[in-house]
Amino acid sequence: MTQTCQSFCKQIQNLTDGFRPETALILGSGLGALADKIQNPKIIKYSEISGFPQSTVVGHKGQFVCGELNGKNVICMQGRIHLYEGHAPQDVCRIIKTFKLLGVKKLVVTNAAGSLNPNIKSGSIMMITDHINLSFTNPLIGSNDDSFGPRFPDMSNAYDKELQNLASNIANEENIPLEKGVYLMVSGPNFETSAEVRAFGILGADAVGMSTVPEVISASYCGIKTVGFSVITNMGTGLQTATQSHDETLAMADKATSNLAVLLNKLFERI
Ligand code: HPA
């Protein structure tokens, strides 16, 4: 039987002695180490939760880390689930609804993404200002439960303006370079063709990836305020002008990840 978000919520509460997170943090590919900063961590493997979707991607641990980040109770997904793994978008929505039932008011999402904008280089952190859903599906398809949100939810503040301002201020104060742009989601799992990269740029997107949008649509629907960050790990297919070594990309991704850790730590202090 498909487990409900009510069942997930109950199981997580039982496994954590009634932990009440204020904020949820979803960590993308290669960014799992950001969970190391969580104090008094209680780890719950997704496999410990009956019926919970399993993360199958290499580099995604597939566990919740519940604890404190700069004084705030946080539930962190160390590894998300993706549509290209065969998960239904509604599975993503059930996870976000579970957060809502646990008492989560704010969500911080991170991902690894390819740049579609020649001015946004690999190794950058891009704060997501908006998205384009080109996954050709939607996490809210199906009957609607009005107790979570409306049938036709507004998306004008899907990426919360106040949280964006706060993150911008922190980046300024900490001298962390922070790009801003539009994230476009494809289902994957293949990387884009050069023609797609050109087309997505013309559509108005700055970065492309295979996640995040179902989570943000679901959170906005549930009234959870969201802020999102992409770590730009590569230029989109065909955009690379100069040759770049893999080592250089990894080094830049590492630097971006440590900057993002500082940014998130400060964000949690003031969120
Ligand atoms: N395309 C899609 N997803 C990605 C990319 C990309 O270039 N880089 C990291 N995730």
Side-chain angles (χ1 to χ4, degrees):
M1 190 196 95
T2 308
Q3 301 281 338
T4 60
C5 47
Q6 284 81 4
S7 155
F8 292 157
C9 173
K10 212 165 158 193
Q11 293 182 66
I12 292 170
Q13 283 193 317
N14 287 342
L15 289 164
T16 56
D17 295 326
F19 181 71
R20 298 283 294 174
E22 300 154 53
T23 307
L25 170 62
I26 302 179
L27 297 176
S29 298
L31 305 174
L34 295 174
D36 295 345
K37 294 231 176 319
I38 295 174
Q39 285 146 4
N40 306 320
K42 161 77 190 162
I43 291 176
I44 307 171
K45 299 222 171 289
Y46 301 157
S47 56
E48 288 177 69
I49 303 172
S50 164
F52 200 85
Q54 301 298 304
S55 171
T56 62
V57 186
V58 176
H60 282 249
K61 276 203 169 148
Q63 59 190 27
F64 286 111
V65 184
C66 299
E68 274 176 46
L69 200 52
N70 238 328
K72 299 281 169 4
N73 275 0
V74 62
I75 181 162
C76 170
M77 285 187 89
Q78 208 174 17
R80 54 155 55 86
I81 61 163
H82 303 84
L83 305 192
Y84 62 73
E85 294 171 85
H87 294 295
Q90 291 82 357
D91 284 343
V92 178
C93 193
R94 276 193 297 154
I95 297 174
I96 302 297
K97 284 177 167 171
T98 303
F99 291 158
K100 177 80 179 176
L101 293 174
L102 285 167
V104 165
K105 303 277 188 295
K106 288 175 186 146
L107 170 68
V108 180
V109 281
T110 65
N111 60 45
S115 176
L116 300 168
N117 179 339
N119 297 321
I120 301 183
K121 309 284 187 209
S122 356
S124 311
I125 304 172
M126 185 189 89
M127 181 161 66
I128 306 173
T129 55
D130 210 343
H131 74 226
I132 298 174
N133 179 10
L134 265 193
S135 68
F136 298 104
T137 187
N138 192 293
L140 305 180
I141 291 173
S143 59
N144 187 54
D145 178 346
D146 292 334
S147 68
F148 282 101
R151 174 76 287 187
F152 300 110
D154 175 58
M155 287 290 138
S156 60
N157 199 38
Y159 298 84
D160 186 75
K161 308 265 181 325
E162 272 181 39
L163 291 178
Q164 285 187 57
N165 284 339
L166 180 59
S168 280
N169 292 342
I170 292 169
N172 275 338
E173 288 161 21
E174 300 293 322
N175 273 322
I176 296 171
L178 186 63
E179 305 284 352
K180 290 171 191 163
V182 173
Y183 177 87
L184 183 145
M185 180 192 174
V186 290
S187 68
N190 63 287
F191 286 108
E192 298 67 43
T193 64
S194 301
E196 285 166 341
V197 164
R198 281 196 303 279
F200 297 163
I202 292 166
L203 282 180
D206 298 289
V208 57
M210 305 174 191
S211 68
T212 305
V213 165
E215 294 147 8
V216 175
I217 290 175
S218 305
S220 182
Y221 159 76
C222 287
I224 296 174
K225 292 187 173 175
T226 300
V227 65
F229 303 94
S230 294
V231 168
I232 305 296
T233 51
N234 57 284
M235 299 308 285
T237 311
L239 274 189
Q240 193 79 62
T241 43
T243 51
Q244 196 191 340
S245 74
H246 185 56
D247 283 351
E248 200 180 353
T249 306
L250 286 183
M252 282 192 287
D254 261 7
K255 174 103 179 102
T257 309
S258 51
N259 275 341
L260 187 58
V262 173
L263 182 60
L264 293 186
N265 207 32
K266 293 275 168 190
L267 189 65
F268 274 85
E269 192 181 305
R270 283 154 64 174
I271 205 167

